[in-house]
Amino acid sequence: MTAATHSTLFPQVPDSADAVLEGLDPEQREVATALHGPVCVLAGAGTGKTRAITHRIAYGVRAGILQPSSVLAVTFTNRAAGEMRGRLRQLGAAGVQARTFHSAALRQLQYFWPKAIGGSLPRIVDRKIQLVADAAAACRIRLDRGELRDVTAEIEWSKVTQTVPTDYTLAAAKVGREAPRDPAEVAQIYNVYEDLKRDRSVIDFEDVLLLTVGILQDRHDIADQVRSQYQHFVVDEYQDVSPLQQRLLELWLGNRNNLCVVGDASQTIYSFTGATPDHLLDFRTRHPGATVVKLVRDYRSTPQVVHLANGLLAQARGRAADHRLELISQREAGPEPLYTEHTDEPAEAEGAARRIRELMDSGVPASEIAILFRTNSQSETYEQALADAGIPYQLRGAERFFDRPEVRKAGIALRGAARFGGNDSLLDDAVDLPSQVRAVLSGEGWTTEPPAGSGAVRERWESLAALVNLAQDFAAAKPGATLADLVAELDERANAQHAPTVQGVTLASLHSAKGLEWDVVFLVGVAEGMMPITYAKTDEQIEEERRLLYVGVTRARRHLHVSWALSRAPGGRPNRRPSRFLDGLRPGSTATAGRTATGGPGGVERGATSRPDAAPRRTQRTPARCRVCGRTLTDAGEMKLMRCEDCPSDMDEGLYERLREWRGVQAKLSGQPDFCVFTDRTLMAIAEAEPTSPVELSRIPGVRKRKLDRYGADVLAICAGQELGESVGGE
C-alpha cells in the first residue's frame, strides 16, 4: 500500500504513537514529527497533505506532546473539517477541534458576546442578498438580478479584505477590480447595507469574523483566555486565507509560534473572495526559523495525468508559478488523456453521456465519475444528456447526506429496530447485521433493484442503498457487530459529516470540485471564452484561470477526458477554439509563443490522437432566425422558442398549461424531475408552434428522436385538443 492509498473503511486504531507513523513516506513523516515551532508544508495536489497533518496531530496527541483540547485545526469547508475529524477519530485522537474559520469564530463569538458586549448575539441573516436589494432601493439604484448578485459579492470582498465603504472605490481600483456598477454607487449601497443591519439588529457571515477580531483586539483578557485554551494551530489550504482570516489567526496565536500551515500556491483559485497566496509564500519571511517540507509525491494520479498537470504549470507566469511544485507520480502507468472536439455544446454533452454509459457498462461505478465545468450555467445541458441516457447523477453542493429527509427517517427506523428488534417480525428471518439493515430499510423504500430513471425517487433509493452498503462494510470490518453498534457509528459519522458514497455521476463546477477526486474526470467546455473565462482580462486573472484548470486535471486518478465545442448551439458559427492552456499539450498543437515548458523529465507526453470516443460530427444546419423579427439567434433558450426573448409571444396559454400538467404526470410515472421530460422552454416552444405532425414537432429544439418516439403521440394529441387516455405516454 502506498503512502496515500485510501485506508479501509473501518481501519484499526493504531496501538501506539509510533504506529501512527507507519505507512508515511519520508516527507510526510517529517511533517508528522515536526511538532515544535512554525512549520510550512508545501503540498502538491494528490500528495497526501490531509494524511500528513492529521497524522501529525495524532502523533503529537498519542505521544503526549499535544493535549487534544489545546489543538485547533482550521480549514475552509464543513466537508474538509468533517473529513479531518473523521480521520483523527480513526487515529485515536478524538477531542481535537477541527473547524472552519467561521465555525471556530462563531463559537467564540457566542461564548464571549455576553461578557464583551452584553445581551445575546444578534441573529445572522441567512441570505444577505435581500438586504442588499433593500439598500439599493433606499439609494434609489435599480439593480437587475445579475447586478444584485455581483454587488453582494463586492460587499463580501470588501469585508474580508477589511475595506470600509468609504475606502471601497480606491481599494477596488488599486487591485484592478471591475465593479458591476459605478464604484461610487457600490460604495453607497455598501454603506446603507451596513446601516440597515444595525437598524434591524442582524449580522452577516463576514461579521462573524470581523466581530471576533474586534473583541480579541479590544479585550486583552478575552484574547488571553482564548490563547490559554488553544496553544497549537494547524491551518489547511493556507493559500486561500483572506486578510481578515489571517488577522484572526494572528490574534489567536499572540506572540507564540506553534503554527503549522499547509498549502499550494498553484491551487489558489478563490482570489475573487479575497483569498491570496501571499501569506503562504511569505511564511518563511515572517517566520525565518520555520521548518519547510515539500510534498511532491503524487499518489492520486497516473503519470499521464501528472505530466499534463505539470505541463500546464510549466507555461504559467507570476509569483505563484515561481513557487510551483513539480509532481512525481507514484502510480502505475495509465491511459493518455483524451481530447475531443465537438460541433456544439449539446453534442459535447451527448458525447460525454455516451462515454459514461460505456464506462459504467464496463464496471466503473457512477460515483467514481465526474463532469467538471467552468460555470454552473453549463450544468443543465449535462443534466439533460445524462437524464436522456438514463444515467443517475448528483449535483455538487446539494443537501448534505445526513441532512437528507430519507436518511434521517432511516436513522430513526434503525434506532427503533436496535432497541425493540426482538419484537419486530421484520427481523425474524434476518440472520446477520446486513440482512437486518436491509429488512428495516425495505420499509423505508429500499429495494434490491433500483427504480427506473434518475429523479427524486432514484435519489432517495441511492441514499438508502448507501446505508445498506455501509452496513455490509461495517459488518465485514467488525464481525459480531450489532444493529446498536451500527447506529452508534452512524451517529458519529453524522456528527463528523462523514458520509458514505452515494452512487451517481457528479456534476460540479471546477471551484466546487476542489479537494475531491474521481477515477474518471470529464473536463468539458475547455474552449477560449470559457477557459479562460471571457471576463478574465489581466495577467493575474488569466493565471488564476490556468490554476483552475490545473485543479480540474488533478482531480482525475486514472481517466481524463478533455473536450470543447466549436459553437454554443446547433447551427451556430463554429468560431470557437480550444483553450490556449492546451497549446503544446494536446495532439497537433504547438506551444504558445514565449512560453517554455519546464515540467517533469522527458517533457510533456501528448494525448491520444485516435480519439476513439469522439462524437460523430453533426451536419451543419442553417443559422436559426427569429420568426418575429428575423434576427439570427445564438442563445440556446431563444433558439428553442425560435424567437428573441424580447419579441412578443403568441403562445396558447391554455395549451401550455395542459402540456405542463401532462408533463407532471409523466415525470411522476418515471420517477424523474419534470425537466427530464421536457424543459419549460421546450413546452413554451411547443405551445407557440402548435405542431400538427411528427415532422413539425421534431423541428422544435429539445424534441430529439428518443423523446419524439416516447412522447410525440401524446404531445400532438394535446396540441390537437384531444383527451388522453389513462394508458398513453409511458413505456
Side-chain angles (χ1 to χ4, degrees):
M1 181 180 291
T2 54
T5 299
H6 294 290
S7 60
T8 57
L9 192 59
F10 301 98
Q12 294 295 315
V13 175
D15 58 11
S16 66
D18 288 341
V20 171
L21 302 178
E22 292 177 3
L24 299 181
D25 69 26
E27 293 78 23
Q28 291 171 343
R29 185 178 285 255
E30 283 290 331
V31 174
T33 54
L35 294 174
H36 300 288
V39 178
C40 179
V41 183
L42 302 176
T47 57
K49 68 177 180 63
T50 305
R51 179 181 175 85
I53 59 175
T54 52
H55 280 68
R56 178 182 189 270
I57 295 170
Y59 176 72
V61 169
R62 299 293 297 276
I65 300 171
L66 305 178
Q67 291 299 315
S69 60
S70 72
V71 180
L72 178 60
V74 287
T75 186
F76 285 83
T77 66
N78 288 318
R79 182 200 61 78
E83 180 185 359
M84 195 177 292
R85 287 193 296 272
R87 292 199 189 194
L88 289 170
R89 179 167 67 91
Q90 292 170 351
L91 291 169
V96 172
Q97 292 292 316
R99 296 180 174 273
T100 65
F101 269 101
H102 279 87
S103 172
L106 179 59
R107 194 169 186 231
Q108 294 174 17
L109 193 61
Q110 289 170 329
Y111 184 81
F112 290 112
W113 185 271
K115 179 179 179 179
I117 310 297
S120 57
L121 182 69
R123 179 177 63 87
I124 301 175
V125 292
D126 295 327
R127 295 180 68 252
K128 64 168 67 71
I129 200 164
Q130 184 56 56
L131 262 178
V132 176
D134 293 346
C139 297
R140 298 187 178 182
I141 298 173
R142 296 190 61 178
L143 301 177
D144 61 32
R145 185 180 300 176
E147 289 174 326
L148 183 59
R149 183 184 62 246
D150 292 342
V151 169
T152 301
E154 288 303 291
I155 292 174
E156 291 173 348
W157 172 82
S158 299
K159 299 185 79 164
V160 300
T161 55
Q162 303 177 85
T163 302
V164 296
T166 52
D167 294 340
Y168 168 77
T169 301
L170 185 61
K174 185 176 179 180
V175 298
R177 197 169 177 90
E178 287 190 25
R181 295 287 294 244
D182 183 286
E185 289 183 330
V186 175
Q188 184 184 3
I189 295 171
Y190 178 16
N191 189 54
V192 174
Y193 167 81
E194 292 296 309
D195 290 340
L196 283 178
K197 282 196 296 136
R198 281 190 291 271
D199 294 343
R200 299 178 186 183
S201 298
V202 296
I203 60 176
D204 62 25
F205 197 58
E206 289 71 37
D207 288 333
V208 171
L209 297 183
L210 283 164
L211 291 169
T212 306
V213 165
I215 289 174
L216 294 178
Q217 284 181 159
D218 296 341
R219 292 290 299 267
H220 297 296
D221 57 328
I222 292 177
D224 288 342
Q225 192 173 342
V226 171
R227 291 166 191 159
S228 67
Q229 168 72 50
Y230 296 117
Q231 299 170 21
H232 198 99
F233 296 86
V234 177
V235 185
D236 194 13
E237 304 289 3
Y238 192 56
Q239 78 279 351
D240 290 331
V241 295
S242 68
L244 180 56
Q245 289 164 333
Q246 175 64 22
R247 180 61 185 141
L248 178 58
L249 179 62
E250 290 167 355
L251 288 166
W252 282 340
L253 272 169
N255 58 4
R256 299 166 299 173
N257 63 3
N258 283 328
L259 170 66
C260 174
V261 301
V262 189
D264 178 10
S266 296
Q267 296 187 69
T268 306
I269 58 174
Y270 299 110
S271 69
F272 60 91
T273 67
T276 170
D278 289 344
H279 305 300
L280 175 67
L281 299 177
D282 293 338
F283 190 84
R284 282 169 289 186
T285 302
R286 296 197 313 275
H287 303 278
T291 299
V292 179
V293 183
K294 294 183 180 180
L295 304 182
V296 296
R297 302 178 199 239
D298 187 322
Y299 298 97
R300 176 188 299 158
S301 305
T302 63
Q304 286 73 16
V305 173
V306 166
H307 287 168
L308 175 57
N310 284 336
L312 281 171
L313 293 187
Q315 301 182 22
R317 297 170 175 169
R319 192 178 181 210
D322 292 340
H323 293 80
R324 71 183 181 89
L325 299 168
E326 185 166 335
L327 301 177
I328 304 170
S329 176
Q330 305 297 298
R331 292 194 58 177
E332 70 285 353
E336 295 284 351
L338 293 173
Y339 301 86
T340 311
E341 183 174 280
H342 298 274
T343 54
D344 51 62
E345 289 182 3
E348 186 178 7
E350 290 167 7
R354 184 166 51 251
R355 179 60 181 144
I356 288 171
R357 171 53 64 192
E358 292 171 358
L359 288 165
M360 290 173 62
D361 290 344
S362 70
V364 178
S367 60
E368 288 297 346
I369 303 173
I371 298 176
L372 307 182
F373 33 75
R374 176 60 180 84
T375 66
N376 287 320
S377 62
Q378 294 168 270
S379 172
E380 183 182 2
T381 304
Y382 290 89
E383 291 181 56
Q384 185 72 64
L386 293 176
D388 286 347
I391 297 171
Y393 64 86
Q394 53 182 332
L395 285 169
R396 179 72 189 153
E399 192 173 30
R400 293 188 295 186
F401 182 84
F402 287 105
D403 292 337
R404 296 176 187 175
E406 66 271 19
V407 175
R408 290 201 302 267
K409 284 184 64 181
I412 292 170
L414 289 169
R415 187 171 288 104
R419 288 180 181 174
F420 311 110
N423 300 320
D424 193 339
S425 59
L426 264 178
L427 303 181
D428 286 348
D429 297 325
V431 296
D432 55 15
L433 177 59
S435 60
Q436 289 175 338
V437 172
R438 289 193 293 268
V440 173
L441 296 189
S442 64
E444 300 299 321
W446 179 81
T447 56
T448 54
E449 293 296 325
S454 57
V457 173
R458 178 62 182 252
E459 289 175 3
R460 285 193 294 272
W461 183 91
E462 293 287 0
S463 296
L464 297 177
L467 291 174
V468 170
N469 293 334
L470 181 71
Q472 292 171 339
D473 291 331
F474 187 69
K478 297 183 180 294
T482 65
L483 202 51
D485 294 330
L486 177 64
V487 168
E489 174 68 24
L490 291 176
D491 286 342
E492 288 197 41
R493 282 171 167 259
N495 290 334
Q497 284 300 328
H498 183 193
T501 301
V502 176
Q503 290 297 321
V505 173
T506 299
L507 291 174
S509 70
L510 286 164
H511 282 101
S512 64
K514 177 77 167 60
L516 302 174
E517 59 186 76
W518 297 268
D519 282 345
V520 185
V521 168
F522 288 78
L523 293 176
V524 299
V526 190
E528 285 291 305
M530 194 61 74
M531 181 59 67
I533 198 76
T534 306
Y535 54 74
K537 304 293 186 184
T538 67
D539 289 344
E540 291 82 4
Q541 291 168 337
I542 296 293
E543 287 307 314
E544 181 152 340
E545 292 288 299
R546 184 193 306 278
R547 295 194 296 270
L548 190 56
L549 182 58
Y550 170 80
V551 166
V553 167
T554 54
R555 298 312 93 193
R557 296 191 193 108
R558 181 170 174 80
H559 296 275
L560 181 63
H561 300 253
V562 184
S563 64
W564 59 90
L566 297 176
S567 65
R568 178 180 178 185
R573 291 182 59 189
N575 56 1
R576 289 181 176 176
R577 63 174 294 268
S579 168
R580 72 189 76 172
F581 300 146
L582 299 178
D583 289 349
L585 304 177
R586 64 183 175 85
S589 67
T590 56
T592 305
R595 298 185 180 215
T596 305
T598 58
V604 178
E605 292 191 24
R606 302 184 184 279
T609 56
S610 57
R611 303 190 315 182
D613 68 338
R617 287 182 171 267
R618 292 184 173 187
T619 305
Q620 281 293 85
R621 304 173 187 170
T622 56
R625 297 187 182 278
C626 174
R627 54 188 170 81
V628 179
C629 69
R631 183 178 70 84
T632 299
L633 302 176
T634 57
D635 179 80
E638 292 181 340
M639 291 177 69
K640 278 193 175 183
L641 297 176
M642 294 304 293
R643 63 172 174 82
C644 302
E645 188 77 36
D646 297 328
C647 284
S649 169
D650 54 358
M651 181 179 71
D652 182 334
E653 294 285 349
L655 174 57
Y656 176 67
E657 288 304 319
R658 290 195 299 276
L659 287 167
R660 278 175 57 87
E661 188 175 323
W662 164 85
R663 180 183 67 176
V665 173
Q666 296 304 315
K668 189 174 181 180
L669 287 172
S670 61
Q672 297 179 329
D674 287 0
F675 69 81
C676 291
V677 180
F678 286 118
T679 64
D680 285 346
R681 282 189 179 273
T682 300
L683 292 187
M684 290 174 66
I686 293 171
E688 290 185 357
E690 297 186 50
T692 59
S693 69
V695 173
E696 291 179 3
L697 181 59
S698 68
R699 290 178 183 149
I700 296 174
V703 184
R704 299 179 186 140
K705 184 178 185 305
R706 179 175 172 272
K707 294 197 174 184
L708 181 66
D709 293 342
R710 182 172 185 179
Y711 301 123
D714 276 15
V715 172
L716 291 173
I718 294 170
C719 290
Q722 299 173 9
E723 292 294 328
L724 296 181
E726 289 284 324
S727 60
V728 254
E731 286 185 344

